Amino acid sequence: VNEIVAAASHETRGSGGGDHSVQPHAGGVASPNQPYLVTPALQAKSADGLYHPKHIQAQAFLSAFAGFLNPVWFATLLEGCREEASASAVLRLMVLMLQASSTFEATFRESGEFGPFAMSIPRFSTCASIVISLLSQHFGVPILHIHSLSTLDPVNLCEVFDSEFEREGENTPLPQTVDPSNGIFALIAECAGRNMQLISRDDELRDKAVLANRAILYLVSHRHETSEAFRQHCSSITFLEPFVQSL
C-alpha cells in the first residue's frame, strides 16, 4: 500500500505537478514524513481514470494476506499485547485491511465485526493512536490520510478530521452494522466507559483518560453540529444503543 503512495508521488513530481499536492505525513506509514497525496491520487487513479499498476499489485497483496490475516488472527494478537505500541500497530493494520480489502471486510463481518475485540482494545483506551484509528474507521476516513497526534487534543483532532471531511464532503460513508453491539462505535463507547472508570484514579492515567474522552466527545459533538448525515446517524440504533449502554 505504501508503494502506491511512493509510486504516485514520484510520477506526480516527474510530470511537473498536476492537480495533486504532496503533504508530509507521520501517521505510521513506512517512515515519518513520507509524502502522501490527496484524492484522487490516493485512490490510485491517473488523470485518464485508469488504476495505477501499483494499486493492482497492492490489491493482490492485500487479498493474499486477507486469507490468514483474518479477524481471529488480529483478535488473538491483540489479546496478547501488553504495551501500546504493539497494540496500536496491530489495530492500524487491521483498520487498513478493513478499508482496503473487500475480502477482509466480508470475512470481518462474518466473524462478529468488532465484538471479539471488546476485551482487548479498551485496555488501551487512553492511547492516542488507538483512539484515532477507531475514529478513522467510525467516520469512514482512510487511515492513511490521518496525521499522527502524540496527544488527543480536542481542537487538533477536529482540525485533522475536518480537513478530510472538507475534501470528501458529505460523501464520507458512515459505519453500518447488523448488530449495534458489535459495531465500531460500540468499541469506542467501551473505551469511553473504561476511561470513565479511570477518572477516579489519582495519577497520570486519570489525566489521559479525561483527555481521551474529552477529545472523543468533542469530535462527535462537532460532527453533530456540522453534518446533517451524521445527525441522522446519531438517531439510529447503531449509535444510540452503545452510547446509552456506555453511559
Side-chain angles (χ1 to χ4, degrees), residues 65-143:
F65 272 85
F68 63 90
L69 291 182
N70 53 47
V72 174
W73 185 88
F74 280 105
T76 303
L77 201 57
L78 282 165
E79 284 287 344
C81 285
R82 293 292 178 266
E83 38 83 31
E84 292 181 352
S86 295
S88 177
V90 173
L91 179 60
R92 184 179 176 85
L93 175 59
M94 187 179 78
V95 171
L96 175 60
M97 294 287 288
L98 271 172
Q99 295 178 348
S101 171
S102 58
T103 303
F104 181 80
E105 183 183 16
T107 305
F108 190 80
R109 290 186 179 277
E110 294 171 0
S111 302
E113 299 182 79
F114 289 94
F117 302 91
M119 299 300 293
S120 56
I121 291 179
R123 288 187 288 123
F124 307 97
S125 59
T126 62
C127 175
S129 57
I130 284 180
V131 172
I132 289 173
S133 293
L134 294 175
L135 292 172
S136 167
Q137 178 66 16
H138 178 249
F139 287 108
V141 175
I143 197 166

Side-chain angles (χ1 to χ4, degrees), residues 8-191:
S9 173
H10 293 314
E11 185 177 88
T12 302
R13 286 197 291 268
S15 61
D19 296 331
H20 312 317
S21 58
V22 178
Q23 305 171 12
H25 180 47
V29 288
S31 60
N33 298 319
Q34 177 176 343
Y36 76 104
L37 292 106
V38 298
T39 310
L42 266 172
Q43 296 173 344
K45 286 187 177 180
S46 58
D48 55 7
L50 299 176
Y51 281 103
H52 191 282
K54 287 289 185 183
H55 172 77
I56 300 172
Q57 292 178 22
Q59 286 299 313
F61 177 86
L62 289 171
S63 294
F65 272 85
F68 63 90
L69 291 182
N70 53 47
V72 174
W73 185 88
F74 280 105
T76 303
L77 201 57
L78 282 165
E79 284 287 344
C81 285
R82 293 292 178 266
E83 38 83 31
E84 292 181 352
S86 295
S88 177
V90 173
L91 179 60
R92 184 179 176 85
L93 175 59
M94 187 179 78
V95 171
L96 175 60
M97 294 287 288
L98 271 172
Q99 295 178 348
S101 171
S102 58
T103 303
F104 181 80
E105 183 183 16
T107 305
F108 190 80
R109 290 186 179 277
E110 294 171 0
S111 302
E113 299 182 79
F114 289 94
F117 302 91
M119 299 300 293
S120 56
I121 291 179
R123 288 187 288 123
F124 307 97
S125 59
T126 62
C127 175
S129 57
I130 284 180
V131 172
I132 289 173
S133 293
L134 294 175
L135 292 172
S136 167
Q137 178 66 16
H138 178 249
F139 287 108
V141 175
I143 197 166
L144 288 178
H145 294 212
I146 300 297
H147 290 274
S148 176
L149 298 175
S150 57
T151 60
L152 286 170
D153 179 78
V155 175
N156 288 345
L157 188 66
C158 280
E159 289 177 353
V160 168
F161 277 84
D162 274 348
S163 63
E164 188 62 29
F165 294 137
E166 290 172 4
R167 184 182 303 130
E168 296 293 335
E170 289 295 322
N171 297 322
T172 305
L174 290 169
Q176 301 294 328
T177 180
V178 177
D179 184 355
S181 63
N182 289 336
I184 179 63
F185 190 71
L187 194 56
I188 294 173
E190 283 285 342
C191 290

